[in-house]
Amino acid sequence: MISVLILFNAQTRLRLQKWYVSLLDKDKKKLIKDVMALILTKRIPSSNFIEYKDQKIVYQRYANLFFSILIDKNDNELLALEIIQRYVELLDRYFTNVCELDIIFNFEKAHFVWDELVLGGELQESSRVESLSAVLDQDDIQNDEMEKIS
């Protein structure tokens, strides 16, 4: 099960987070700080998996952003890496060449995309087409509601 999704850049600026476990704010901040430090201090030609307490950190770097998730120790690391890859592909299709600014200024859309892919810390929908279709449907509903208001 995925415990947390953390997106941050190389300057350790947090861009997106999604929690599936209940922690105190100070514990969340410590965990985020630890994850960032472990990933950024790791040598470049090494694996994308890090042991962390009783969990594993799985991460992938795309351009200037690090996409990382914490999974249980017994979960499949390659499946977690595939989930990250699928998420980036969905973001790229949704935003048409996604960049860090897309995530900063449209974080709610980035959350929509993640929520269509993962539910309760488990992979919900493996189909890229179905996930993207659901997000686009949400956009249509939101646009219809905005038109009704104005």
Side-chain angles (χ1 to χ4, degrees), residues 38 49-57 73 77:
L38 286 169
F49 316 121
I50 303 172
E51 296 284 332
Y52 178 75
K53 297 183 181 177
D54 60 340
Q55 295 181 314
K56 294 178 196 171
I57 301 169
K73 197 167 206 136
E77 302 95 347

Side-chain angles (χ1 to χ4, degrees), residues 15-16 95 102-112:
R15 296 303 181 204
L16 192 72
F95 289 112
D102 291 325
I103 294 173
I104 292 169
F105 293 117
N106 299 298
F107 65 91
E108 73 282 354
K109 303 292 186 190
H111 274 285
F112 284 162

Side-chain angles (χ1 to χ4, degrees), residues 98-144:
V98 68
C99 68
E100 186 175 351
L101 291 175
D102 291 325
I103 294 173
I104 292 169
F105 293 117
N106 299 298
F107 65 91
E108 73 282 354
K109 303 292 186 190
H111 274 285
F112 284 162
V113 173
W114 178 257
D115 290 341
E116 284 302 323
L117 186 64
V118 175
L119 179 67
E122 299 289 340
L123 182 64
Q124 169 182 280
E125 179 60 63
S126 60
S127 169
R128 291 179 197 100
V129 174
E130 289 296 321
S131 296
L132 189 60
S133 174
V135 172
L136 293 174
D137 288 345
Q138 289 176 0
D139 278 352
D140 291 342
I141 292 169
Q142 185 177 12
N143 291 338
D144 290 345

